[in-house]
Amino acid sequence: MKNTIRYHAITPEDYQAVIELGTQVHGEGYINAQNLEQWVQKGIKNGTNAGFVAYDDDKLVGFRVTFAVGNWPVDSWCSPELWPSEQNKVCYFKCNTVDENYRGYGIGSQLLQLAITAAKQQGANAGVSHLWMQSPGNSAVKYFTKCGGKLMKIHNDRWLELSKQGYICPVCGKTCHCSAAEMLIEFD
């Protein structure tokens, strides 16, 4: 299976499959056509797209959305005072999603490496993300740590506001109290 995976930069032709996989993995209301288009646009800078998809034949099995440096707001969920890198040199890893039947084959890691290569071309020297600590077995944090991520801070109720806007968490339901690990990877 691993040898048959194809990767390319995300395009509008991928959106419907991305929304379906994103809803399946992250829950109803997390990703939709409007926010996906905005997210993808935030990932494009200097003609380089930092968002990628992975396919096994015609089946989307993974995707990564990354915001380019300068294309995302450093908000109250971020702790730039803890980052070892300058704020204006940090991209944001918004979302990494792999179909549960394809996990453990390195697809998430490959999507991350493609995003890092693109982000470096856009001027980034690090990337920050909020990892879902309630993912099965805390796999999101384990994966990001294995890829070089370092914990900056734990944020409780990270997706509570989103749940008030209709997001249905696969763990908590309509009122999400999941925590996020703010983690940062410095690039070589």
Side-chain angles (χ1 to χ4, degrees), residues 19 22-24 26-32 35 39 162-163 165-169:
I19 292 166
T23 299
Q24 176 187 344
H26 301 289
E28 187 72 35
Y30 180 72
I31 190 168
N32 58 50
N35 67 14
W39 293 355
L162 187 60
S163 69
Q165 298 168 21
Y167 168 58
I168 301 172
C169 173

Side-chain angles (χ1 to χ4, degrees), residues 117-137:
T117 298
K120 286 163 87 173
Q121 292 171 359
Q122 296 170 335
N125 64 18
V128 70
S129 188
H130 291 94
L131 287 297
W132 182 36
M133 296 183 71
Q134 282 70 31
S135 64

Side-chain angles (χ1 to χ4, degrees), residues 30-104:
Y30 180 72
I31 190 168
N32 58 50
Q34 182 179 359
N35 67 14
L36 178 58
E37 175 62 27
Q38 292 170 351
W39 293 355
V40 169
Q41 290 307 310
K42 288 180 181 184
I44 299 171
K45 187 171 188 172
N46 302 329
T48 300
N49 186 345
F52 290 89
V53 291
Y55 282 88
D56 185 7
D57 290 322
D58 292 334
K59 179 181 179 175
L60 179 79
V61 297
F63 66 90
R64 171 166 286 289
V65 176
T66 303
F67 298 165
V69 293
N71 285 1
W72 63 283
V74 176
D75 59 20
S76 62
W77 298 105
C78 295
S79 309
E81 69 280 1
L82 302 175
W83 300 349
S85 199
E86 293 178 37
Q87 182 176 321
N88 66 349
K89 294 287 187 181
V90 177
C91 70
Y92 185 73
F93 296 121
K94 173 64 178 164
C95 186
N96 187 54
T97 306
V98 177
D99 181 302
E100 69 179 328
N101 297 311
Y102 287 80
R103 293 179 191 152

Side-chain angles (χ1 to χ4, degrees), residues 105-160:
Y105 293 100
I107 294 169
S109 296
Q110 180 62 29
L111 288 165
L112 178 61
Q113 288 308 308
L114 290 167
I116 288 172
T117 298
K120 286 163 87 173
Q121 292 171 359
Q122 296 170 335
N125 64 18
V128 70
S129 188
H130 291 94
L131 287 297
W132 182 36
M133 296 183 71
Q134 282 70 31
S135 64
N138 200 11
S139 60
V141 171
K142 289 177 184 175
Y143 144 78
F144 209 71
T145 300
K146 183 179 175 184
C147 292
K150 298 205 178 3
L151 179 65
M152 299 292 115
K153 186 175 182 178
I154 303 293
H155 297 277
N156 296 319
D157 293 332
R158 170 64 176 94
W159 294 279
L160 179 60

